[in-house]
Amino acid sequence: MIKEMEPAPKGSEYDFYFGPAHPGSGNFGVKLKLEGEVVVSARADPGYLHRGFEKLMEYRTPLQNAVLSDRLCILEPLNWNLIHAEAVDELMGIDIPERAKYIRVIMAELSRIQSHIIWYGVFSKGVGFDTGFKLAFGYRDYIMDLFELITGGRVYPAGYICPGGVRRDFPKDTKKKILKVLDKMNKIIKLEELENPAMNARAKGVGILKLKDAIRLGATGPVIRGSGMNTDVRKEEPYEIYDRLDFEVPIRKEGDAYARYWIGIEEMKQSINIVKQALEELPDGEVIDSSLKKPKLTTKIPEGEVYVRNEISRGEAGIYMVSNGEVSPYRTKVRGPDFLHMIPVLEYLLKGVQIADVPAVYWSLNICPADMDR
Amino acid sequence: MKLGILPKLLQNMFSKPMTVKFPHESIPIPDNYRGEHNYDIEKCISCGLCAKICPNRAIEMVDVSKEYKNKYPKKYPKIDLGKCCFCGLCEDICPKDSITLTKNVFLSTFDSSNVIKYPIPTDGNK
């Protein structure tokens, strides 16, 4: 055990930058004020990865926006595709084909598994467990292979889930291949579940977020579920086919980094379960609405406004879209889960921790700088 | 020392590695991969839809060089692979299947002029 340290002498405060161009932080910076080795205060410094998606989307057609929506979060582009497509679908009043709904859910859940694997990888790196990082990125590539087969690109699906359905049907034997990859995913889950001294020593009792504070600071998704709240948009406001699927929402009460890490593992198990169920019931038929089958430059979005929310692997994400009947939306507002996780929650959690625990707390929030800066 | 690790150790010693030796062998690329464009000028009707839908404005409609001007009098797409995001919208929108995306992913080059694909390769423009 580490002995309680003596307090640093007065006047020894200094500034310390964590990020923004550092492998331990992603493209995001935190200005820390330290006294000895203890963080006195933390100030998030966003903007390093800002690309202005909301403005860009005002000048593009829905199909071009679907391609752009990949870039909202590099680690889970398909989930962002889905939210954007749902917003446009709702404005256009399209009832998408049944097969497309199933494919959408299968792809979104595979994307969630992939994102959680990365989370495990970077969190392992944050707590000094390098093997976990390498394992995670090795196993992630099996899912990348699936994406390559189905969407035609490894990381970016290029608007695979587009307004009206999905851009391509599954190629032959995809079902078999997905089941094979899911078996491999069970393997990495088993590895993640092993008793691990690094995780026990570095993650237990670190960065405790109480439920009251989690609600006050606006946490969603795995972060608030790790603090003991039973909430999931897939259960509360089911979209696509989630109301027909049988799955559980994992919850832990501790609220520390270790609890959030376990939420990730449990959610991967549930996602595997969901993909298997959806694959079993996958119906035949069209994969895209007939009016949008051939891309058109003149398809107008009817006048109106809509707010769509989804559960992505990081929490609750939403898109608010206003259209005045033109080809491009009049305004698109993106609500990413990480904006609140990376600014108020992170600043709150970093207060009073040791400097060595900063990466552990930081990565335990399942963050994505790309989604936060947008 | 715990000996529970031993079976795992032996298993790992004799199991296949997760990676492949890249230059000598590589994982197969699926048929519908979105790689380098293949453009067929004979099928092209110069509608310009590919240039209009391109989200990155990587496609520009240009005249062909003088020696081919008589045969191909219209404007044809010039594709800048440096700007391309390989979304495949040009392939989807093309009414005559003139543009298709191929499996070629080896596009790195030392010569920056190689990244621009002209409608007809000639001496003046590759």
Side-chain angles (χ1 to χ4, degrees):
Chain A
M1 282 298 286
I2 304 161
K3 270 188 205 166
E4 201 63 42
M5 283 199 310
E6 282 177 29
K10 256 195 172 176
S12 64
E13 266 186 21
Y14 61 98
D15 288 342
F16 185 88
Y17 277 81
F18 181 72
H22 183 259
S25 74
N27 294 319
F28 179 73
V30 190
K31 284 179 192 169
L32 302 170
K33 205 166 228 95
L34 295 165
E35 205 174 83
E37 288 202 5
V38 181
V39 179
V40 181
S41 71
R43 189 100 183 95
D45 182 19
Y48 192 66
L49 203 59
H50 178 64
R51 290 147 294 167
F53 283 122
E54 290 177 6
K55 199 69 192 166
L56 283 172
M57 281 188 173
E58 292 171 15
Y59 299 97
R60 286 157 186 248
T61 65
L63 205 54
Q64 291 174 331
N65 279 341
V67 175
L68 188 67
S69 68
D70 290 356
R71 261 75 177 170
L72 275 164
C73 181
I74 300 138
L75 308 177
E76 45 174 356
L78 279 152
N79 296 51
W80 280 105
N81 273 186
L82 180 57
I83 305 170
H84 173 264
E86 276 180 2
V88 180
D89 283 346
E90 209 168 314
L91 276 173
M92 285 185 168
I94 301 169
D95 199 19
I96 68 158
E98 201 71 352
R99 186 178 169 84
K101 281 185 189 172
Y102 276 85
I103 294 181
R104 279 179 173 193
V105 166
I106 291 168
M107 297 306 282
E109 290 302 321
L110 282 175
S111 191
R112 188 190 310 276
I113 297 171
Q114 183 256 135
S115 172
H116 277 319
I117 291 179
I118 300 179
W119 180 20
Y120 170 70
V122 289
F123 182 58
S124 303
K125 189 103 179 155
V127 299
F129 178 52
D130 244 17
T131 316
F133 176 78
K134 284 178 176 115
L135 268 177
F137 277 77
Y139 275 92
R140 173 189 179 234
D141 256 43
Y142 292 120
I143 296 193
M144 300 272 99
D145 288 344
L146 272 185
F147 288 167
E148 191 180 19
L149 177 78
I150 297 164
T151 70
R154 288 183 81 78
V155 177
Y156 290 121
Y160 177 74
I161 298 173
C162 66
V166 292
R167 276 179 68 185
R168 295 165 171 184
D169 201 353
F170 278 171
K172 262 185 198 169
D173 293 338
T174 307
K175 204 170 158 180
K176 227 194 272 171
K177 279 175 187 160
I178 293 178
L179 288 173
K180 227 178 187 177
V181 170
L182 291 182
D183 282 345
K184 294 221 164 94
M185 292 307 118
N186 280 326
K187 261 187 208 166
I188 179 136
I189 291 174
K190 265 186 199 148
L191 290 170
E192 285 182 27
E193 281 175 336
L194 292 175
E195 185 81 15
N196 184 338
M199 292 287 180
N200 284 345
R202 299 284 307 274
K204 265 184 188 166
V206 168
I208 296 174
L209 184 65
K210 286 187 187 123
L211 182 57
K212 201 178 69 187
D213 297 315
I215 296 169
R216 180 173 61 85
L217 297 166
T220 50
V223 177
I224 202 161
R225 286 200 283 273
S227 299
M229 193 183 202
N230 185 356
T231 170
D232 192 317
V233 183
R234 291 175 293 174
K235 284 272 185 206
E236 285 154 9
E237 217 177 87
Y239 49 93
E240 306 296 335
I241 54 155
Y242 281 110
D243 47 346
R244 295 174 223 169
L245 299 167
D246 178 33
F247 64 99
E248 283 164 20
V249 180
I251 295 150
R252 283 180 79 103
K253 290 224 162 61
E254 298 90 336
D256 57 356
Y258 194 70
R260 291 193 280 275
Y261 156 70
W262 267 95
I263 292 279
I265 297 172
E266 297 288 331
E267 279 190 9
M268 275 170 69
K269 279 188 199 164
Q270 295 303 327
S271 291
I272 289 175
N273 190 8
I274 290 172
V275 176
K276 276 185 181 162
Q277 283 179 51
L279 272 178
E280 240 166 59
E281 294 165 17
L282 185 67
D284 291 328
E286 286 289 306
V287 291
I288 187 160
D289 191 78
S290 51
S291 62
L292 293 166
K293 202 165 189 181
K294 193 86 189 164
K296 274 183 213 134
L297 286 162
T298 47
T299 314
K300 284 185 176 152
I301 313 174
E303 213 175 316
E305 56 184 294
V306 67
Y307 180 73
V308 178
R309 63 189 193 126
N310 271 13
E311 183 77 23
I312 65 171
S313 70
R314 275 143 238 286
E316 187 184 321
I319 279 193
Y320 174 68
M321 195 181 269
V322 184
S323 170
N324 53 2
E326 296 289 316
V327 176
S328 344
Y330 173 75
R331 173 89 170 94
T332 311
K333 168 84 184 83
V334 180
R335 188 254 186 243
D338 281 327
F339 187 79
L340 293 164
H341 290 166
M342 288 175 77
I343 299 175
V345 175
L346 184 70
E347 280 177 4
Y348 173 78
L349 287 184
L350 285 184
K351 237 175 251 173
V353 304
Q354 297 274 327
I355 182 139
D357 287 339
V358 171
V361 173
Y362 183 78
W363 287 114
S364 76
L365 295 170
N366 193 4
I367 53 143
C368 172
D371 162 24
M372 195 226 66
D373 271 341
R374 289 195 289 279
Chain B
M1 194 185 133
K2 282 179 192 168
L3 288 174
I5 200 172
L6 263 180
K8 192 84 205 159
L9 203 68
L10 284 170
Q11 194 191 332
N12 278 348
M13 268 174 78
F14 297 107
S15 60
K16 265 186 8 185
M18 283 167 87
T19 49
V20 291
K21 291 172 183 163
F22 169 59
H24 310 294
E25 51 178 320
S26 60
I27 48 171
I29 294 169
D31 288 334
N32 56 1
Y33 191 84
R34 305 187 312 266
E36 190 194 359
H37 306 68
N38 179 31
Y39 172 63
D40 186 353
I41 197 165
E42 302 299 336
K43 286 185 189 167
C44 185
I45 53 167
S46 302
C47 61
L49 283 174
C50 48
K52 277 177 195 150
I53 201 153
C54 183
N56 286 10
R57 295 174 204 170
I59 302 180
E60 195 187 333
M61 299 302 279
V62 293
D63 291 319
V64 292
S65 57
K66 268 182 195 162
E67 43 191 311
Y68 290 102
K69 190 77 186 160
N70 291 334
K71 202 177 172 198
Y72 304 109
K74 294 177 190 166
K75 291 198 170 194
Y76 299 94
K78 179 184 93 177
I79 304 164
D80 188 343
L81 292 178
K83 286 182 183 175
C84 181
C85 70
F86 300 97
C87 62
L89 287 181
C90 48
E91 183 188 19
D92 284 5
I93 205 167
C94 185
K96 296 285 170 196
D97 290 334
S98 173
I99 293 185
T100 45
L101 299 190
T102 60
K103 277 161 61 171
N104 183 16
V105 291
F106 302 106
L107 297 169
S108 348
T109 174
F110 284 106
D111 184 2
S112 60
S113 65
N114 282 349
V115 299
I116 295 172
K117 281 173 78 82
Y118 287 95
I120 287 189
T122 55
D123 296 335
N125 48 35
K126 274 179 206 167

